[in-house]
Amino acid sequence: MAGTAANSPGNLSVNPKPRHYLRDVILHGKFDLLNSLTPEENTRCRHGLYFQDGQRRVDYILTYHIKKPSSSRSRRSSRLTDNAFTRSLRRGRTQPPPPPPPPSPPAAKGDPEAGGAANHSLDYHEDDKRLHREEFECNLREMGLELENDEDTKTHGVGFVKIHAPWNVLCREAEFMKLKMPTKKVYEVKQSSSVVEKINTFIHKVTDPLHPNVEENRAQKVKHLSYPFSREKQHLFDLSDKDSFFDSKTRSSIVFEVLKRTKCTKAKYSMGITSLLASGVYMAAYPLHDGDIDGENVEPNDRKLLYEEWASYSVFYKYQPIGLVRKYFGEKIGLYFAWLGVYTQMLIPASLVGVIVFLYGCVTVDDDIPSMEICDDRENIIMCPMCDRVCSYWNLSTACSTARASHLFDNPATVFFSIFMALWAAMFMEHWKRRQMRLNYEWDLTGYEDEEDHPRAEYESRVMQKSKKRELKSQKKPSEIRAEPRNKWKQTVQTAMAGLKLTEKEKLTCRDRFPAYMTNIVMMLLMIGVTFAIVFGVILYRISTKAALHMSSNPTTRSNVRLTVKATAAIINLVVILILDEVYGAVARWLTVLEVPKTDKSFEERLIFKTFILKFVNAFTPIIYIAFFRGRLVGRPGSYVYVFESYRMEECDHGGCLMELCIQLSITMLGKQLIQNNLFEIGVPKLKKLIRYIKSKRGSFQEEEREKKLQRYETDHFLDPFAGLTPEYMEMIIQFGFVTLFVASFPLAPLFALLNNIIEIRLDAKKFVAELRRPVAARAKDIGIWYNLLRGVAKVAVIVNAFVISFTSDFIPRLVYQYMYSSNGSMHGFVNHTLSYFNVSHFQNGTGPMNPLYLGYRVDMCRYKDYREPPWAQAPYDISKEFWAVLAARLAFVIVFQNVVMLMSDIVDWVIPDIPKDISVQIHKEKILLVDLFMKEEQGKLQVLDSMLSHAGKDNSNANNHSPVARSRSTPHAHTNNY
């Protein structure tokens, strides 16, 4: 009777004994369970890939912080009691809430367990997080997932929740997510013609040493027909081996989908694991790697195969196993590495042509007439000073080396190379679209459409705050609130459910985001202004350093002024660019967070756009200044343009600014690739891993404990978390800009990009396989916004190269001189034609050289590079008619070059179809086969139904013939005769 009374609705009490009993059974029976397993199961269990039973695979891991309890045992018991009731309520029991536990006795003054207010507050927050975890995990169990906690690990302070998705959950979620799975139906994949098939077979045999030793990379002649998974049509799929039907990548993505949409009402109306991670309830959430990659007794797995055939530098010459990459990491990461592979392959012909153009400049440098005239000492052309007072007159022949070096990058072949690179960019874009469609077909993504993501945790938090403010405005009066029943548990549940409904109805409008938008605009303009200010500071550095070096008493220093200033300024620009890149990346993320985008996709696109704008301006502003502004705002001798009334604007060397543009471009590009892309990517992850290792206090372990092998989920915990593909794409987009935008001044840029990418592929592969936690597999059918950025850079490259050839190089002035002003149609006299005269007596006061006899004789006339009238003309120093002729030719060249190249690019885009013909044929064939498959299925169902009806009819007729009623009806007088 006592037990009945205790369990009656009026006197509900929760006895914690069963809970402690179960926990003791689990803890004490753990080793017995392990001993009962087979050696293989025991090994798998100890490696952390399976539950303690050795059968259920771990599909996902949640980690949380463990804090030693500092409060009294009674308070912990009350928390456990409350949690037991919470679980019973979540399971559908309708008993009223238990009475509050008796308060614990006050601690004595000398009680060591009685901490300060801060400790009590900390304990309260930790207990609150624990309650959230327990409710969330209870909800996960209701969703069908199976969980196993492990706090007894060698990783101190970290608890692990192992999650397994059983078969029914996998089937349910696969149907919800519309995952395409291979059916039993297979069909033969044929080429469009026998000739194409023979060519492909021949190419495959020739390139066989370049293919990795991976099954997925071999040509498949048959393909399984795929169809979105459906529980009603399970008979269409090969379910003979249910353990391998859903691979580890698919299982983890399914579990992550469940984690995202599972609600936790105690966590302030939060939705899913993202909110719990943001609030610190859980430390991390990640799927497990398949196994180890090195060791003597390592079992074969996809991760080890990827490490050997993809992430090793010894296989740099081989193709990437893209199929296996997609199988292990998902479509989104697979598309990135496929795109990077196509880009690297396309750099091979561009590098060959660039080297040929450079070699052409080296071969023809001795035949270049303008360079020969500059290097001829007999010409004795005296040039005006390069700076005020400290600089003196100089002989043009001293610029011989600069003129010869400029010819390597400023020759007629560079025009051809610019046109070639514009067409190359168009070919690359078309080739990638075709490759992307082929991958979509092979990966069964042809009918995939992007679905709307779950709202981000930050968005939900802002919506919750907005709904709270609206609730406060419309809340009831205090007297009315007092009149309501004071059921705290009911009130909490009602508040949580009301909050969930409000967050579903509420949304952030442009008015809510207006302050963030204004902050974005102001900060973006401020950051761009900072870039311009730094470039201007480097300009002042060059001007002042040049003047200071000219004052040096060392003749070697004075003779190498130009090279010293150019090299040091380029290095300073590189250091500033590297620093600002990190700053701008953080600023762009902060600005994107301020906007509070609703979904992860929206957040990623906005972040990419801001980061691209800031980093693009940061990398190319110094180069744009040298290419288009330096030497054009100088003025002329006697009327120079000054900055701050003392700094004279820079001039280009006589060979033009193209050589300095080449130096700046090469140092910036090579420096970013070597330092930022390679050293940072290698060093920073290792440093972070070392810091996490130190924080985990593993160094305090005993030696034998250190030698013990960690579980798989513990090892992955110490890996670097996956931060997305934005940094990887961004560095390649900036490199694509270096390759295409100013390629007329640096034809070796594709070669250096190719060498970098060969290393970059293996470096990224090793990082993904060995140094990062396994990312959640994300589906994607294209590279998203990155394609639009690539297309925009390719379009801008045509215009930029047109202006570089026209205004930065001497290609147009040479053509104009040769066909308009040369007496014999040759380039003889070109140098003298481009130089104007200046009377040294017309220098402004204080601007003439302090040592006018520097050359050993008095100078009356000096020369400077410009098209101006001589001092003896009627309008001295005015712009001459040659200037207008050259300017007209330059503008005409820009218009013609731009339109011709863009027209050719559009022709290439139109001629090459986006979808390969054989792929379109196979896609059409799949549709026909699907229709035939379902028609046959319907026919089979109808035949079965007809046979069942016919059998039922026969049985009914036979039953009627043998029944007594039937016999009586067939012989009506039989009964009467018996009477």
Side-chain angles (χ1 to χ4, degrees):
M1 295 296 295
T4 306
N7 294 327
S8 63
N11 299 303
L12 177 66
S13 64
V14 180
N15 187 4
K17 180 178 179 181
R19 174 173 179 158
H20 294 294
Y21 174 75
L22 289 175
R23 185 175 60 185
D24 294 338
V25 168
I26 292 174
L27 291 176
H28 290 90
K30 177 178 177 181
F31 300 102
D32 297 335
L33 178 62
L34 286 178
N35 293 330
S36 65
L37 298 177
T38 63
E40 181 182 0
E41 293 173 341
N42 197 356
T43 302
R44 294 189 303 182
C45 178
R46 282 190 289 106
H47 287 177
L49 294 174
Y50 290 80
F51 277 22
Q52 293 292 344
D53 57 10
Q55 298 294 328
R56 293 174 292 175
R57 184 178 181 87
V58 177
D59 298 320
Y60 218 86
I61 289 291
L62 303 179
T63 66
Y64 55 92
H65 177 68
I66 300 176
K67 184 180 180 297
K68 295 295 183 181
S70 60
S71 56
S72 62
R73 184 179 301 273
S74 61
R75 185 170 64 183
R76 184 183 179 197
S77 176
S78 66
R79 291 286 186 180
L80 292 175
T81 302
D82 181 49
N83 179 55
F85 170 74
T86 303
R87 290 188 176 179
S88 65
L89 184 65
R90 295 293 298 177
R91 288 171 184 166
R93 298 178 184 176
T94 57
Q95 290 92 341
S104 57
K109 293 182 180 180
D111 190 357
E113 293 185 357
N119 291 335
H120 284 294
S121 177
L122 185 61
D123 292 342
Y124 173 77
H125 287 301
E126 290 296 328
D127 291 342
D128 197 39
K129 290 180 181 179
R130 180 173 55 81
L131 289 177
H132 293 165
R133 287 196 299 269
E134 290 174 349
E135 184 197 2
F136 182 69
E137 292 168 16
C138 180
N139 294 341
L140 291 180
R141 290 187 177 94
E142 290 184 356
M143 294 291 291
L145 298 179
E146 298 176 1
L147 278 64
E148 186 177 83
N149 291 70
D150 188 5
E151 297 184 358
D152 186 19
T153 64
K154 290 182 275 296
T155 306
H156 283 245
V158 180
F160 297 88
V161 180
K162 295 177 280 187
I163 302 176
H164 169 76
W167 173 253
N168 59 333
V169 175
L170 294 174
C171 294
R172 181 192 70 204
E173 298 299 325
E175 184 174 354
F176 291 166
M177 297 169 64
K178 300 178 182 178
L179 295 180
K180 272 191 172 183
M181 304 300 295
T183 63
K184 298 177 183 178
K185 178 69 175 178
V186 295
Y187 66 95
E188 186 177 0
V189 179
K190 293 184 178 181
Q191 299 291 340
S192 55
S193 64
S194 58
V195 177
V196 175
E197 188 174 359
K198 290 180 180 178
I199 293 174
N200 290 336
T201 303
F202 174 75
I203 294 175
H204 187 78
K205 288 182 179 179
V206 172
T207 60
D208 187 64
L210 302 179
H211 290 277
N213 189 19
V214 177
E215 189 68 27
E216 282 77 4
N217 268 50
R218 297 173 184 173
Q220 302 290 337
K221 293 185 178 180
V222 295
K223 186 178 184 296
H224 282 271
L225 187 65
S226 297
Y227 184 73
F229 186 82
S230 174
R231 288 173 289 181
E232 295 180 355
K233 300 183 181 300
Q234 291 191 28
H235 58 278
L236 298 178
F237 306 94
D238 184 9
L239 303 181
S240 58
D241 186 6
K242 293 185 177 181
D243 292 336
S244 61
F245 182 73
F246 295 105
D247 56 11
S248 60
K249 176 256 300 182
T250 307
R251 296 175 69 98
S252 63
S253 62
I254 287 176
V255 173
F256 182 65
E257 191 69 21
V258 177
L259 291 174
K260 282 197 300 184
R261 71 167 188 264
T262 301
K263 301 176 182 179
C264 180
T265 57
K266 278 185 175 292
K268 304 292 186 182
Y269 318 141
S270 68
M271 164 84 79
I273 188 62
T274 54
S275 299
L276 297 178
L277 289 172
S279 59
V281 176
Y282 288 100
M283 296 169 57
Y286 52 89
L288 291 181
H289 282 291
D290 280 355
D292 294 326
I293 55 178
D294 52 6
E296 297 180 357
N297 301 322
V298 175
E299 299 178 359
N301 56 79
D302 288 341
R303 188 190 185 196
K304 179 178 174 59
L305 187 60
L306 282 172
Y307 188 78
E308 294 173 350
E309 296 293 332
W310 181 50
S312 175
Y313 292 106
S314 60
V315 294
F316 72 93
Y317 61 91
K318 290 187 177 182
Y319 294 116
Q320 299 182 85
I322 296 299
L324 186 59
V325 175
R326 174 253 178 178
K327 177 185 175 184
Y328 192 79
F329 291 109
E331 287 79 7
K332 194 171 185 178
I333 295 177
L335 281 174
Y336 163 71
F337 282 102
W339 172 84
L340 185 57
V342 170
Y343 173 45
T344 304
Q345 289 178 0
M346 289 294 293
L347 284 172
I348 297 176
S351 302
L352 293 176
V353 176
V355 171
I356 292 173
V357 170
F358 178 75
L359 294 177
Y360 171 82
C362 296
V363 171
T364 59
V365 66
D366 294 330
D367 299 330
D368 184 50
I369 295 176
S371 299
M372 294 169 60
E373 290 181 350
I374 293 174
C375 297
D376 192 359
D377 294 335
R378 295 172 297 179
E379 295 288 339
N380 195 25
I381 299 176
I382 307 303
M383 302 297 294
C384 295
M386 298 291 291
C387 60
D388 291 343
R389 295 182 60 77
V390 295
C391 300
S392 187
Y393 307 105
W394 56 285
N395 201 309
L396 183 60
S397 60
T398 59
C400 177
S401 58
T402 304
R404 289 172 64 86
S406 297
H407 177 75
L408 302 179
F409 307 98
D410 186 7
N411 55 71
T414 57
V415 181
F416 160 76
F417 190 56
S418 299
I419 298 175
F420 170 81
M421 287 303 296
L423 297 178
W424 172 87
M427 291 284 292
F428 165 59
M429 305 300 290
E430 293 303 312
H431 181 36
W432 166 244
K433 284 195 291 187
R434 291 169 61 85
R435 173 65 170 158
Q436 188 172 259
M437 284 303 303
R438 189 175 295 276
L439 291 176
N440 284 341
Y441 162 71
E442 294 175 356
W443 296 350
D444 299 320
L445 296 172
T446 50
Y448 171 73
E449 295 294 337
D450 291 333
E451 298 177 359
E452 187 177 357
D453 294 336
H454 294 287
R456 300 179 68 249
E458 292 81 1
Y459 180 85
E460 287 184 339
S461 177
R462 281 288 300 274
V463 171
M464 181 194 68
Q465 294 174 6
K466 182 180 178 180
S467 62
K468 277 186 175 180
K469 291 180 180 179
R470 183 165 295 184
E471 284 179 354
L472 291 175
K473 291 180 180 180
S474 59
Q475 67 182 355
K476 299 178 182 180
K477 296 180 181 180
S479 59
E480 295 177 348
I481 296 176
R482 273 189 224 101
E484 293 181 354
R486 300 283 301 210
N487 191 329
K488 293 184 177 180
W489 176 254
K490 183 178 180 181
Q491 195 173 14
T492 302
V493 174
Q494 289 178 349
T495 304
M497 297 307 296
L500 286 173
K501 292 180 180 179
L502 281 171
T503 52
E504 292 176 359
K505 295 180 181 179
E506 292 282 355
K507 64 179 181 178
L508 298 183
T509 61
C510 293
R511 184 176 180 181
D512 299 325
R513 293 191 173 102
F514 182 75
Y517 289 153
M518 293 302 299
T519 305
N520 271 259
I521 295 173
V522 172
M523 288 299 298
M524 291 286 287
L525 294 177
L526 178 62
M527 293 296 102
I528 294 174
V530 169
T531 302
F532 290 162
I534 291 175
V535 171
F536 185 70
V538 176
I539 294 171
L540 295 181
Y541 162 81
R542 277 199 295 258
I543 295 172
S544 58
T545 305
K546 184 184 294 183
L549 293 178
H550 274 293
M551 297 175 63
S552 175
S553 58
N554 190 345
T556 305
T557 303
R558 291 197 303 270
S559 61
N560 296 320
V561 169
R562 294 174 186 152
L563 181 60
T564 303
V565 173
K566 291 175 185 176
T568 55
I571 293 173
I572 291 173
N573 267 323
L574 171 63
V575 173
V576 171
I577 287 172
L578 294 178
I579 295 174
L580 288 183
D581 265 354
E582 301 300 321
V583 175
Y584 288 166
V587 170
R589 179 169 289 275
W590 173 64
L591 293 176
T592 309
V593 170
L594 283 182
E595 292 184 11
V596 197
K598 183 177 181 180
T599 62
D600 288 331
K601 182 179 180 181
S602 176
F603 181 88
E604 185 180 13
E605 289 181 350
R606 298 185 185 202
L607 175 62
I608 289 170
F609 181 74
K610 294 182 184 66
T611 309
F612 173 75
I613 293 296
L614 293 176
K615 291 192 175 185
F616 187 87
V617 172
N618 181 39
F620 290 100
T621 298
I623 301 172
I624 292 173
Y625 163 74
I626 294 174
F628 302 126
F629 296 98
R630 183 175 177 180
R632 286 163 178 79
L633 305 174
V634 178
R636 61 170 179 83
S639 181
Y640 285 114
V641 177
Y642 291 90
V643 181
F644 301 138
E645 299 181 357
S646 58
Y647 294 100
R648 199 175 96 186
M649 291 297 294
E650 294 181 288
E651 297 181 51
C652 289
D653 293 333
H654 183 76
C657 285
L658 203 66
M659 186 62 195
E660 187 166 351
L661 176 63
C662 176
I663 293 174
Q664 178 70 51
L665 187 64
S666 59
I667 290 179
T668 304
M669 179 179 178
L670 296 178
K672 280 179 67 65
Q673 290 181 352
L674 293 176
I675 298 175
Q676 191 177 47
N677 298 356
N678 294 331
L679 293 182
F680 283 5
E681 289 191 8
I682 296 174
V684 172
K686 292 186 178 296
L687 182 62
K688 290 181 178 179
K689 188 176 180 180
L690 179 62
I691 293 173
R692 286 195 303 272
Y693 183 88
I694 295 174
K695 285 184 177 181
S696 67
K697 300 179 181 179
R698 292 173 61 190
S700 61
F701 287 176
Q702 296 180 0
E703 199 65 32
E704 59 269 13
E705 289 182 347
R706 188 181 301 174
E707 292 177 357
K708 290 181 180 179
K709 186 176 180 62
L710 295 176
Q711 300 282 353
R712 176 79 266 154
Y713 46 85
E714 294 180 88
T715 306
D716 288 0
H717 174 73
F718 291 103
L719 298 179
D720 205 25
F722 176 64
L725 291 171
T726 300
E728 316 298 335
Y729 272 113
M730 188 62 65
E731 65 185 54
M732 289 295 108
I733 296 293
I734 298 297
Q735 185 200 84
F736 183 77
F738 284 120
V739 169
T740 55
L741 286 176
F742 294 92
V743 74
S745 63
F746 190 39
L748 295 179
L751 176 63
F752 289 117
L754 173 64
L755 297 176
N756 173 80
N757 288 4
I758 292 174
I759 302 174
E760 181 74 19
I761 290 176
R762 308 303 165 180
L763 184 64
D764 286 347
K766 188 174 182 180
K767 181 172 65 174
F768 273 84
V769 173
E771 298 175 359
L772 294 179
R773 293 174 188 163
R774 186 175 182 179
V776 181
R779 288 188 293 174
K781 62 178 181 180
D782 52 37
I783 60 175
I785 191 176
W786 299 108
Y787 182 82
N788 298 328
L789 294 178
L790 283 170
R791 198 171 185 84
V793 171
K795 295 293 184 183
V796 173
V798 177
I799 303 173
V800 170
N801 282 300
F803 277 94
V804 168
I805 295 171
S806 181
F807 287 90
T808 309
S809 72
D810 283 339
F811 178 74
I812 299 301
R814 292 185 183 190
L815 286 181
V816 172
Y817 173 78
Q818 185 175 1
Y819 292 104
M820 292 183 62
Y821 299 103
S822 178
S823 58
N824 54 4
S826 66
M827 293 301 297
H828 289 286
F830 171 74
V831 174
N832 187 63
H833 176 75
T834 58
L835 296 177
S836 300
Y837 290 89
F838 178 73
N839 191 336
V840 298
S841 62
H842 295 163
F843 273 121
Q844 294 178 351
N845 293 332
T847 60
M850 293 187 300
N851 186 13
L853 301 177
Y854 176 76
L855 297 177
Y857 51 87
R858 183 180 180 83
V859 177
D860 296 326
M861 289 284 181
C862 64
R863 310 290 297 274
Y864 62 98
K865 189 175 182 180
D866 204 349
Y867 291 100
R868 291 183 179 272
E869 298 290 343
W872 56 81
Q874 294 181 354
Y877 307 124
D878 282 354
I879 296 175
S880 63
K881 60 180 181 180
E882 288 84 358
F883 173 82
W884 299 110
V886 172
L887 180 61
R890 282 174 166 168
L891 294 176
F893 176 82
V894 169
I895 295 173
V896 173
F897 182 89
Q898 174 184 343
N899 286 278
V900 169
V901 173
M902 285 192 174
L903 177 62
M904 295 173 67
S905 300
D906 291 339
I907 292 175
V908 170
D909 191 0
W910 175 69
V911 170
I912 302 177
D914 294 344
I915 304 177
K917 186 177 180 181
D918 60 322
I919 296 300
S920 61
V921 171
Q922 298 297 338
I923 292 175
H924 182 66
K925 184 177 180 179
E926 278 196 354
K927 293 180 179 178
I928 296 176
L929 289 174
L930 274 177
V931 173
D932 292 342
L933 179 64
F934 286 112
M935 289 300 294
K936 291 179 180 179
E937 182 185 3
E938 292 297 325
Q939 292 177 0
K941 288 182 179 179
L942 291 176
Q943 291 177 358
V944 171
L945 184 60
D946 291 342
S947 62
M948 291 176 62
L949 291 175
S950 62
H951 284 300
K954 291 180 180 179
D955 293 341
N956 290 333
S957 62
N958 293 333
N960 291 333
N961 292 332
H962 295 285
S963 64
V965 177
R967 287 195 301 268
S968 64
R969 289 179 180 175
S970 59
T971 56
H973 303 287
H975 298 285
T976 58
N977 294 333
N978 292 332
Y979 292 111

